[in-house]
Amino acid sequence: MHDLSDGLARFRRDVFPTKAGLFAHLATTHRPTTLFIGCSDARVVPELITQSEPGELFVVRTAGNLVPAHAPDPDGVAASIEYAVAVLHVRDIVVCGHSACGAMTALAEEHDLSAVPVVSGWLRHADAARARVAAVPEASGPDRVAALVRANVSAQLRNLATHPSVARALAEGTLTLHGWVFDIATGAVHPVDATAIAA
């Protein structure tokens, strides 16, 4: 906690004064234009990657950047999506996977997840991506992980499109979906064809 406390002190001393006007505006205004759905991985920081200011991104982070398909029971991810689309009227949604993703590595390499049953259950939301990559037997090792990362972004875009608020906004032409893969080692961001949601 010492490092976090130091960071808070630096923020108040060095950063906040330079952005005091922005924070005064944000105190009464919340109008992000993009919902960014990324992985919980500490190495993947949406605001840093996109160089966004506070207030520009509405961020949801989950292990494996997974988006459960719409279901009748409410959950935190679905509630955040609905709020971003139906209330905040974001114009874009980004689903961002990344290189060396622990969740995708565990699935690609078939790790034993019996000691983490909640994680194991959560990762079932990547089953469609696993099935797609399994149909390409020549992918192996790091190539298999990379293929699964990309396939997973496509699968999560498809899941996202099952949410009623998203489906409505897509039909009305007020929302655009984007798939990205962030390469940690190079800083490059590679697009994943969002038309894959129809596949």
Side-chain angles (χ1 to χ4, degrees):
M1 277 300 292
H2 179 70
D3 288 344
L4 295 183
S5 298
D6 287 349
L8 288 171
R10 285 195 307 275
F11 170 75
R12 289 289 299 145
R13 183 186 66 239
D14 302 329
V15 177
F16 184 83
T18 68
K19 296 183 182 291
L22 173 61
F23 282 105
H25 173 71
L26 293 176
T28 58
T29 305
H30 186 213
R31 291 195 183 94
T33 59
T34 301
L35 167 58
F36 189 105
I37 301 174
C39 186
S40 302
D41 193 301
R43 300 168 294 177
V44 182
V45 182
E47 294 83 357
L48 184 62
I49 294 168
T50 63
Q51 288 296 285
S52 296
E53 290 286 350
E56 292 179 346
L57 298 180
F58 192 80
V59 178
V60 173
R61 296 178 71 171
T62 69
N65 49 272
L66 298 179
V67 179
H70 175 69
D73 296 327
D75 67 71
V77 176
S80 295
I81 292 167
E82 184 178 74
Y83 186 77
V85 175
V87 178
L88 297 174
H89 305 292
V90 297
R91 297 188 303 264
D92 297 280
I93 302 178
V94 173
V95 175
C96 184
H98 67 93
S99 61
C101 177
M104 295 305 106
T105 299
L107 293 176
E109 297 178 355
E110 300 182 356
H111 293 183
D112 178 5
L113 299 175
S114 57
V116 283
V118 175
V119 172
S120 179
W122 174 252
L123 293 182
R124 69 181 166 73
H125 297 298
D127 284 351
R130 286 179 77 184
R132 185 166 286 196
V133 171
V136 186
E138 61 269 18
S140 61
D143 290 341
R144 190 168 190 80
V145 174
L148 185 55
V149 167
R150 289 187 66 80
N152 184 55
V153 170
S154 293
Q156 303 319 309
L157 288 168
R158 288 193 296 278
N159 285 351
L160 188 57
T162 68
H163 290 255
S165 59
V166 174
R168 253 189 321 274
L170 289 171
E172 292 166 358
T174 59
L175 182 67
T176 304
L177 304 185
H178 310 270
W180 292 356
V181 173
F182 172 63
D183 187 284
I184 295 171
T186 66
V189 173
H190 304 284
V192 174
D193 188 358
T195 60
I197 64 170

